[in-house]
Structure formats: structure tokens, C-alpha cells
Amino acid sequence: MSARIHLPSGLVTFMFTDIEGSTRLAQMLGPGYRPVLSEHRRLLRATLAASDGTELFTEGDSFFVAFGDASSALDASLAAQRALANHDWPTPEATPRVRMGLHTGHAEPRDGEYASAEVHRAARIAAAAHGGQVLCSGATARYAAPLPPGASLLDLGLHRLRGFDDRERLFQLVAPGLERQFPRPRTADAIPHNLPTQVTSFVGRRAERDELDLLIDSHRLVTVVGAGGAGKTRLAVELAGGLVESYPDGVWFVDIATVTDPGLVAFAVAAVLGLRPEPGRPMLETLVEFAAPRRMLVVLDTCDAQPAACADVISRLLAGGSGVRVLATSRESLGLPGEVIWRIPPLSVEPAPGGGPSEAVTLLLDRTTAARGGRRAGPAESADLQRVVTRLDGLPLAIELAAARLRVLSASQLAERLDDVLGALDAGRDDVEPVPAVPGRSWSANQQDTVDLAAAARGVAPPVGARAVQRSATQRHVTMQATVTWSYRTLGPRAARLLRWLAVFSGPVDLATVEWLLNDDPLDPLSVLVDKSMIQAEPNVSGSTYRMLDPIRAYAARRLVDAGEEQTARDRHVAWSLHALQRACLGPDDRPVTLSLYALDPLADELRAALRWTVTGGSARQGLQLTSGLDEWWRERGLAREGRLWLFRLYGRIAETGEQIPEAELAAAYHMHSQHAGADGEFAEELRFSQRAESAARQAGDAGLLIRVLAGRAAPLIDMGQFAEAERVCREVIAEAEAEGVTGDALLAVYSLAELLWRRDALDEAAELLGAARPVEAARPTERGKRSVDMLLGMVALARGDLVAAHDHLVVALRSRMSYGYLARACDTVNAIAVRCARGGDPRSAARLFGAAQLTRSAMRCTPGTFGAYWLQEQAALRALMGDAAFDAAYAAGADLTLEEAAAVALEVEHPDLSADSVRFTRVEPPAPRPRPRQAADAPRDVLD
């Protein structure tokens, strides 16, 4: 640099430039790179000569220039970019893409250079730019007046430059002749998102992505509409992945398909954003307030699962803040103001420019290679593959299903089958109802749009103003329904019937279940369905299970209705559910075994599906029988409220149909309802249904039933604190049961009376009562897994200070309750063992067990129960002994345990007889002179099933 060059001082604007991807460009051009670099330098220097810029440093493809005026710096940048863009370069690929960064700050030159942090800031701004882009700092934007004619500065928001702790507001120079669309600046900010990672490649849709990208840039709500299987979700995720850098506050994916209740849509969005409910405030308000100041993109997938709720959440989000944009996918539009409805087209079936395979064939080739274990389709199959995708009209899910079939068929065989089905549309068109024309309503996607193919074959016109043009019978639009119909129409009568009937199940089934459903050997039709990918076989250690994809299940369910078989099939499913409940109580020899609630866990969803049918189209009486089988499971899993809701719906079904229910079954249902209400803390409801149960039981004339119902009368009295009255009722019921010869049916009264006696320290009477009840409990398979006698004897022993007996009884009770799935009751036993630890001098273990039991009980939303006040009293005493800090630490450590882990800790507590100060180690009795007969002891005994 010449000494005569004057360097500006004071308020100086620094500019850095370089060629983006210069190394790659040099490698590509080889010897041709030097002329390009020289011409790039000449153009920049010519521009600088026309301004007041001073070139300080040039190395390789980079320039460092200082300006005494910010406006002149922007003028020079604009002129330089235009000169580069308008120059006639050797080839389009040889065009250098130059990025420029400017920053204005106070600086003084020394010895012909600047030593200032402002220089480094300008360099970092240039590094954040993309080729063809001009970025400047907020300071440059503030001092750059006037701007070049026709130019403006686009605010890109705050960004953290590498090496700087503060955040810099960056602006982009926008003017005619300059590119406008660039990715997010390359800064140190971490862009948050939760987009799902895809395990398969994304094929094609370049034009669709560009079109959607423009729509999202111009509109705040874009809804991708199309039939099921059209690829809406995959396209939305792929598009959103490319927009992550455009939204500083993140791109967030929310799957509405998993939301089962409209009121939970806002909670689902909030959960993705990391928000938690605020007491006394609607979640939607919290969500809107959080989103209002932010610039983010929310991807709401499968909005048709909860359309009204999604529309409400979206409208509130968009109204709350201008920086929020929503990309939704749905089978139908949301009907919101400002909504842009973009209907997803099928994949292109036309050959790519240059003669390459079409997008649809590319997808089919990719998926077929995976289905065939990595073996690619040969060139001989190319023509047939093109026939396949043409007949499937490029529908992605149809192509995926076709690829699965190419595992066992050649492309020509598959093409021939498709041709036969599509050529014979008129043979099955009566099986599908067309979309009714609604005057004044535009043609939009919904769950009924899957019948377009049949409507076209019938010659039915679409509604007035339709945007989609129906094709003829030979040029039809193949929808998801048509794709599954194709598979379905290749089935023989037995396989088709099996597919329809399997739709009544909500989840996987095993071979024995399929045999029971059909009352026939299902192996042949089942093999056909597996081979045709209509169901999926999933081998496991105990034997294969068979799973149907949800879209196919929905199609099969519609076919079931069309065939007039729904009533029969769903009634059969209800009968299977009752049979499964019965089998859960029987052993391999068909004899009753101890009831394990774990056996009901895998049946829960199927039993719910059966219940749904009984309250909508089946028998309410069978529904009551199902609820009876789920009674203990609901309460022990903290789902008493669910049980109450099903019972209320069944009462409504009875009133609707007038179905006659025997009084005995009504009494049992009311009795169960009373117990569920008590477990759910609804004590008034508990008393009301207890009274109804008693009235129905007296009319039924069943002595055992009446005793069971009367035994439950004590529960609402105890819940309401009427202990003396509850004790009187229990004694009356026990006496009446003995008089009627149905002692076993009074067990609930025995347990309640024992608890009441324990409460008022009548411990001897309680122990005697429980001792007499032990054989009665052991004889009842539905009761013995609970080990209620041992639990209560353990409580009596604790009250007496007998830690040895308490330990023995409580360990047996806990082991049994955990073994048979009585989880809510196991929480009480863990609490009791915590008391035993406190009394035995192990306060830390006691506090840990208290914390673990409380966490599980809270998670299951269980009421405190009879012993609730006692546990709190013992915890208070333990806190006083340990001190707040030590107690809280141990209690919190327990809260980190699962119930299974807490039970394992409780079962490992050392037996009192093994402690160092046990009487066993301080006194040894001399051996007896001769053996004596073994005496029965009041100790826990294992009862065989």
C-alpha cells in the first residue's frame, strides 16, 4: 500500500469480501481458475476506484477495505455485486459467488493498519454471509443514509457472531439485481428443532418443495391436503428440515395422530415446546403467550385426527404473534381465514429430463431393493416397473405396498395383476359409495375422498366448482382406498373374510385367537394375507403374532360394514374378550388359579375395543360382564375413573335399548361402581351406588351376592369418618354371612372390621378375626393373591411392637402383591415395611421407601386409603428423628425408584432375627430331651394354586 494513501479515522466502515467455496471452485476449474480470480479482482478494484474505499489488504480471493462513510460502503457493495452478476463468465459454473460483510465503528489507524475489535466484527459478519449476499451490522445500517436508489435493508434478527459474547443484529442489503433468498446466516447460534429422523431416503418432489417453500414464505398458514398415504407427512418434514435456519426460535413437529382427546391438542404442542401447565390457567393461553414474541415454524401433522381442536389452536397461535407460521397436514382443510390449501400431487410417472427414471420409478426401485435384501431390479424389469407406477398413479403408499409385493412377485406379474383389477372396476363399484355432491361446497380432501375411483366409473360428477377433474375409467385417479382395494380384490373369499374380521381387533393377535375368531383353521387364508402384505407377521419366542396396519384396518372395517358382517364379527370379538378374561383366571388344566392382574395388561386395549362396541352397537349386558373382569385391574392401575366412565356409558346404553339386565348383575355392577367411586375420591357417588347395589341385591334373592354388597357398605361410612357405624355394619354382615352359610362372601367386611379394630387398638380381637379368615382367603382365587390377611396381621404386629411377626407377614404380602400385579395395594405394603424399618432402627431406608410409595401412588392418582393418616403420622415422627435435611434427601432418593425397585429394596431389608442384638445371638435354649409334636403357629403360609 502506498504511503500517500490516506486511511480514514474516527467512524470507519470496514468491508471484507471473499469467494464462497473458492477451494472447490479452484479444484473444479483447474488452470481456468486463475483468469476467473484475476477478473474478480479487477471488477472489485474498479468498483472501489469509483468510491472512497481504501484497499488495505488482499490475499487470495479476499479483500479488506475501509470506508470513511457507511453509505459509500453500501454503494460500493451493491455496485460490486451487480458487476459480478452481469459479467460474462466463461461458464455458469465458473461464476464466483462473493460474500460481503460490513461493520461501522470507531477506529484509528496506526502504522498503516487498524488494530481494533471492530475489524474482527466486520470479518465475522462477512463469514456469516452466503455467496452473492451482502450483510451489515446494525451500526452500519444506522449510519448508511441515504441508501442506494431502490435499495433497502432486511432485518435478519439477532445473531451471535463467533468469538463475540454479545448478539449482533444483522441486516441484508436488498436491491434490484441482487439475490434475495438465502439460508440463515452462518453464525454460532444453535437452531432448535425436533424434526423426526428419517430412516429411508426421500425421493423426488423438487418442484413441490420449491412451490411449498414459496407459499410458506408468503403465507402464515399452509395446509398440505391429500388422501391417506399421499406422502403429506414425509414432504412436510423434508421441507421443514430445510427451513430450520430460517426460524431463530425453532422448527417444531407435533404429531396430532397420537392425541386421543380434542382438549389435549394444546397440551401436545406445549409439550413439544417444553411448556408445563400453569395452575388456574388454560394451557392454550400459556402456549399463545410463549409463542407471541418468537419467530418459529410449527408443523402440525395429521390434523384430521382432531380438526376442530387443531383449527382453534392454530387460529390462536397466529393471532397471538406475527412471527409464528404453521405448516399443517390433513385430509381436509381447516377452514381458517388466511389458510392456503395446497393439495399434494402424486409422484411424477413421466421419465426425468435426459431419459432417467421418473420419481415414482426411482422410489419403487429404492424400496424394492430393500425388500429384496439389497438386490436391485434388473434392466429387463424397467418397462414393467413403469407400468406398475403408472397404474398406481404415483401414490407413495401404493408404491411402498407394491415394493413389498415385489418380494415374491416379478414386476411383470405385479403389472398384470394391477391391469386386471383396474380393468374390472365395474365389477366391484357397487361396493363403494360415491361422495355426495354438496351444493356450494368446493371439492376438498377428507376421509370420504377415497372413493373417487368408483365415482368416476359410475359417471358421477364432482361437486360444483370442483378443482379436481375426475378421470375416466381408463385414466382414473388412484387413491389410498383404490390401492388397498386393489390388494383386497386379489383375495379369495376366505382370506377376504379373515381380513374383514381381523379389523375388529385393536392390536396384534396370535394364531390361537384367529382360530377362535373364525372357529376354523385359519392357516391358509392367514398365509395369503401375510404373503400379500395385508398383515405383518412378527415372530417371537412364544410364537408369531399378526399385526394389521391402521389404514388397512380402517379399510377392512368399512368392508366389514359393507358385507353386513359387523354385528356378527364384533359380537364375536366381545365373546372372545369374555373368553380371554375367563382364561386369565384358569390354569392349563382349566382349574381356577390365583388371579394375576399382569395377565390383563396385554388384553386391556382389546377389552376397551370390545367395550366400545357394547356401548354403541352391542349388548350392554356383555359390557357389564367385561367391566366385572376389569374391576380389580382398573383400581390397581389407578384407573378407577375410567371404570366409572364405562359404567355410566353402559347405563345409558341400557336406557337406550331397554335391554333386560338381571338384578343380580345390576347389583354387582352397582357394587363395583361404588368401590370405584370410593377409590376415585367421589364419596357421595360411592354411597349412592352402594345403596343401589343393596336394593338390587335384595331383589335378586342371592344370599352370597347380598352379603358381598352389604360388606361394601362399610367403605363409604369409613370414607366419611363414621367409624362406629361402619364397625356395627361389619359385625352385622359377618354374623348374617355365618347364619346363611356364605362366610367367604363376607371377606370384605372382615378386612374392614380388622382395619377398624386396628384403628382403635383392639389388636387381640383383630388378630383373632384375621386368623380365622386366613383359610377363607386362601380358598378364593380372586382374593389370595392380595394377601390382605398378611398385610393386616403385619399392621397388627407393628402396633404390638412385634417386628419379627410384622416382617414375616409384610414380606409375604408384598411378594404376593407384586407377583400378581396388585400394584396399588403393594404401595401400602411398602409403606408398612417403611414403618417396620423406622421401628427397627433404619430411618434412612424408611424414608426412601416412603418416598417411593408416595411417588407411585401419586402417579396412579390413588386416594390415601384407610392407612393414609397413619403413614403421614409415621413420616412426621421420622422427620423429627432424622431432621429435615436428612429426611428430605432420603425421601427424594426414594422418589427416584420405580415401584419394582422399591419392592426389591423392601424385600432385602434384613430380618430382625438376623440383627446383631437379636435374642437369637444372646441366648440359646438347651435342646429338648425328646422331640415334641410341631405346633401350629400364626405365621404366613404360602397357598398353592
Side-chain angles (χ1 to χ4, degrees):
M1 183 179 69
S2 172
R4 293 179 299 169
I5 295 178
H6 174 71
L7 295 180
S9 61
L11 200 61
V12 182
T13 298
F14 300 103
M15 179 176 75
F16 281 88
T17 79
D18 68 355
I19 298 176
E20 183 181 47
S22 57
T23 302
R24 186 168 59 253
L25 185 64
Q27 291 174 340
M28 181 182 70
L29 298 180
Y33 177 66
R34 181 174 294 279
V36 169
L37 180 61
S38 298
E39 192 65 10
H40 149 259
R41 290 173 177 170
R42 185 189 69 79
L43 290 172
L44 287 184
R45 287 192 171 115
T47 303
L48 294 175
S51 68
D52 67 348
T54 302
E55 181 182 341
L56 284 92
F57 182 78
T58 302
E59 181 179 12
D61 60 306
S62 63
F63 275 75
F64 174 29
V65 185
F67 294 84
D69 179 69
S71 181
S72 297
L74 281 177
D75 283 338
S77 300
L78 177 57
Q81 289 288 12
R82 284 173 172 169
L84 291 166
N86 295 329
H87 186 72
D88 186 16
W89 299 99
T91 64
E93 293 78 14
T95 303
R97 295 179 56 81
V98 177
R99 55 184 180 177
M100 301 180 179
L102 297 87
H103 173 62
T104 303
H106 287 276
E108 298 293 336
R110 290 188 179 179
D111 300 326
E113 63 180 1
Y114 294 94
S116 169
E118 309 297 346
V119 174
H120 294 276
R121 188 177 293 271
R124 293 306 184 191
I125 292 174
H130 298 270
Q133 186 179 35
V134 179
L135 294 182
C136 69
S137 67
T140 300
R142 187 163 55 251
Y143 293 112
L147 292 175
S152 62
L153 292 176
L154 177 64
D155 188 348
L156 300 182
L158 293 172
H159 297 267
R160 191 179 306 281
L161 301 174
R162 289 180 175 86
F164 289 86
D165 294 332
D166 59 335
R167 302 181 75 184
E168 180 70 51
R169 183 170 296 277
L170 297 182
F171 292 82
Q172 176 185 324
L173 179 62
V174 178
L178 267 62
E179 293 184 48
R180 179 184 176 91
Q181 299 295 328
F182 293 97
R184 175 182 170 80
R186 297 186 178 100
T187 56
D189 302 86
I191 309 302
H193 73 85
N194 71 328
L195 295 173
T197 301
Q198 305 300 324
V199 296
T200 56
S201 59
F202 185 85
V203 175
R205 296 204 184 278
R206 179 71 261 173
E208 290 89 338
R209 279 186 284 175
D210 291 342
E211 183 180 351
L212 265 180
D213 192 20
L214 290 175
L215 288 175
I216 294 174
D217 183 65
S218 305
H219 304 276
R220 297 184 60 205
L221 171 58
V222 178
T223 303
V224 179
V225 173
K232 301 184 295 294
T233 299
R234 188 63 188 272
L235 177 59
V237 171
E238 190 73 14
L239 179 69
L243 297 175
V244 168
E245 292 188 348
S246 300
Y247 293 90
D249 296 304
V251 175
W252 304 104
F253 179 89
V254 185
D255 185 6
I256 305 301
T258 62
V259 180
T260 58
D261 187 284
L264 298 179
V265 170
F267 285 84
V269 180
V272 167
L273 296 176
L275 303 179
R276 295 189 177 186
E278 298 178 15
R281 188 183 192 190
M283 175 52 78
L284 188 52
E285 290 186 8
T286 302
L287 178 61
V288 171
E289 180 182 331
F290 173 85
R294 288 171 167 78
R295 184 180 175 193
M296 63 184 183
L297 175 66
V298 180
V299 182
L300 285 182
D301 187 48
T302 321
C303 291
D304 48 286
Q306 302 291 347
C310 286
D312 183 40
V313 170
I314 291 172
S315 64
R316 293 285 300 277
L317 282 175
L318 296 179
S322 61
V324 179
R325 293 179 185 259
V326 176
L327 174 62
T329 72
S330 179
R331 294 191 179 189
E332 57 186 335
S333 64
L334 299 171
L336 290 173
E339 178 187 19
V340 175
I341 302 169
W342 188 83
R343 192 176 183 90
I344 186 171
L347 289 172
S348 172
V349 298
E350 300 299 326
S358 66
E359 291 182 345
V361 170
T362 303
L363 176 63
L364 184 58
L365 284 169
D366 181 82
R367 302 302 190 257
T368 300
T369 301
R372 292 178 173 177
R375 291 182 291 108
R376 294 184 60 83
E381 291 186 288
S382 298
D384 289 321
L385 291 174
Q386 182 63 43
R387 287 174 57 198
V388 169
V389 298
T390 300
R391 290 302 185 185
L392 294 178
D393 213 2
L395 199 68
L397 182 55
I399 294 172
E400 299 273 0
L401 293 174
R405 285 156 179 76
L406 286 172
R407 186 171 53 247
V408 293
L409 294 175
S410 68
S412 62
Q413 289 174 318
L414 179 60
E416 290 171 2
R417 288 172 178 268
L418 284 171
D419 194 49
D420 288 342
V421 172
L422 296 176
L425 272 177
D426 55 346
R429 64 192 180 198
D430 290 333
D431 293 339
V432 185
E433 293 296 325
V435 179
V438 181
R441 179 181 173 183
S442 60
W443 187 250
S444 62
N446 54 55
Q447 294 191 18
Q448 293 180 330
D449 279 354
T450 55
V451 298
D452 297 351
L453 194 59
R458 289 183 170 191
V460 177
V464 177
R467 297 190 306 271
V469 179
Q470 295 281 14
R471 295 184 180 180
S472 67
T474 58
Q475 292 179 318
R476 49 206 169 268
H477 174 66
V478 182
T479 63
M480 185 65 182
Q481 173 93 352
T483 305
V484 183
T485 298
W486 159 72
S487 301
Y488 178 80
R489 289 176 180 169
T490 65
L491 302 177
R494 294 184 67 205
R497 178 174 179 265
L498 177 57
L499 182 73
R500 294 193 302 268
W501 281 50
L502 285 177
V504 301
F505 288 93
S506 66
V509 296
D510 57 18
L511 185 61
T513 298
V514 181
E515 290 174 343
W516 200 98
L517 180 71
L518 293 182
N519 197 23
D520 191 11
D521 182 7
L523 191 56
D524 288 344
L526 195 59
S527 299
V528 171
L529 294 178
V530 172
D531 291 342
K532 292 180 177 294
S533 299
M534 300 297 282
I535 62 174
Q536 296 180 346
E538 299 177 338
N540 52 58
V541 176
S542 59
S544 293
T545 58
Y546 306 94
R547 183 171 65 91
M548 187 186 299
L549 297 177
D550 285 342
I552 298 178
R553 178 179 291 108
Y555 173 87
R558 289 194 292 270
R559 284 293 186 178
L560 186 69
V561 175
D562 293 340
E565 299 170 335
E566 183 179 32
Q567 185 78 42
T568 304
R570 294 200 181 277
D571 284 347
R572 186 71 173 162
H573 178 247
V574 172
W576 173 85
S577 300
L578 291 170
H579 172 75
L581 281 172
Q582 182 183 15
R583 291 300 312 169
C585 300
L586 301 176
D589 57 357
D590 291 334
R591 298 179 60 185
V593 296
T594 303
L595 174 63
S596 173
L597 298 184
Y598 291 127
L600 302 186
D601 287 334
L603 296 175
D605 287 340
E606 293 299 342
L607 298 178
R608 290 181 176 117
L611 276 170
R612 277 192 290 274
W613 174 247
T614 63
V615 299
T616 56
S619 166
R621 182 179 181 184
Q622 289 184 315
L624 292 177
Q625 293 168 358
L626 288 170
T627 59
S628 176
L630 286 167
D631 176 21
E632 292 281 1
W633 185 84
W634 272 325
R635 282 187 282 151
E636 293 297 323
R637 297 295 181 269
L639 299 172
R641 179 164 300 180
E642 179 185 336
R644 291 168 53 224
L645 294 176
W646 280 117
L647 286 168
F648 277 127
R649 295 184 68 184
L650 286 167
Y651 303 151
R653 177 69 176 169
I654 294 169
E656 175 188 348
T657 62
E659 184 177 1
Q660 296 298 311
I661 310 295
E663 291 293 337
E665 295 178 25
L666 276 177
Y670 293 151
H671 176 55
M672 176 177 63
H673 194 143
S674 174
Q675 292 180 305
H676 281 244
D680 208 25
E682 299 292 340
F683 301 136
E685 184 179 319
E686 177 188 22
L687 179 61
R688 183 168 70 254
F689 278 93
S690 175
Q691 294 168 344
R692 290 185 185 180
E694 180 179 350
S695 175
R698 292 192 183 279
Q699 294 183 42
D702 184 330
L705 172 64
L706 179 60
I707 291 300
R708 290 195 300 274
V709 169
L710 292 176
R713 285 173 52 195
L717 296 173
I718 294 174
D719 289 335
M720 292 185 291
Q722 300 178 23
F723 303 125
E725 179 64 14
E727 183 174 334
R728 183 191 65 77
V729 168
C730 289
R731 293 185 186 278
E732 288 180 356
V733 171
I734 294 170
E736 186 174 347
E738 292 174 350
E740 295 287 345
V742 288
T743 306
D745 291 305
L747 263 181
L748 182 58
V750 172
Y751 299 151
S752 298
L753 179 58
E755 292 171 0
L756 291 165
L757 293 171
W758 169 86
R759 179 184 293 274
R760 64 180 181 84
D761 288 331
L763 303 179
D764 292 341
E765 184 181 358
E768 182 180 353
L769 179 69
L770 292 168
R774 181 185 290 282
V776 180
E777 178 188 66
R780 299 177 72 87
T782 57
E783 293 291 336
R784 59 189 177 217
K786 304 174 189 176
R787 289 286 192 169
S788 299
V789 168
D790 277 302
M791 172 65 190
L792 292 170
L793 283 172
M795 296 299 294
V796 169
L798 283 176
R800 286 173 165 170
D802 187 348
L803 295 187
V804 173
H807 185 97
D808 290 339
H809 287 298
L810 294 175
V811 164
V812 168
L814 180 58
R815 184 175 289 117
S816 180
R817 290 178 171 190
M818 291 300 299
S819 297
Y820 292 105
Y822 292 91
L823 305 184
R825 295 174 189 268
C827 287
D828 272 339
T829 313
V830 169
N831 275 324
I833 294 180
V835 176
R836 172 258 175 273
C837 289
R839 302 284 175 83
D842 187 1
R844 186 178 183 279
S845 293
R848 284 184 70 204
L849 293 176
F850 275 133
Q854 180 57 40
L855 177 73
T856 301
R857 185 171 286 278
S858 297
M860 293 195 297
R861 300 183 301 276
C862 296
T863 55
T866 303
F867 302 111
Y870 177 69
W871 307 139
L872 293 177
Q873 173 186 323
E874 291 296 322
Q875 289 178 37
L878 192 59
R879 178 183 290 275
L881 175 67
M882 299 175 64
D884 290 342
F887 177 86
D888 289 340
Y891 193 92
D896 290 334
L897 302 176
T898 64
L899 180 60
E900 290 74 15
E901 292 169 340
V905 171
L907 293 173
E908 290 173 359
V909 171
E910 186 179 60
H911 194 284
D913 265 354
L914 299 180
S915 61
D917 58 349
S918 171
V919 66
R920 175 176 298 182
F921 299 108
T922 58
R923 183 180 61 188
V924 179
E925 295 291 341
R930 62 176 183 273
R932 292 181 296 177
R934 185 174 180 179
Q935 301 296 320
D938 180 20
R941 295 179 292 140
D942 291 329
V943 180
L944 298 177
D945 291 338

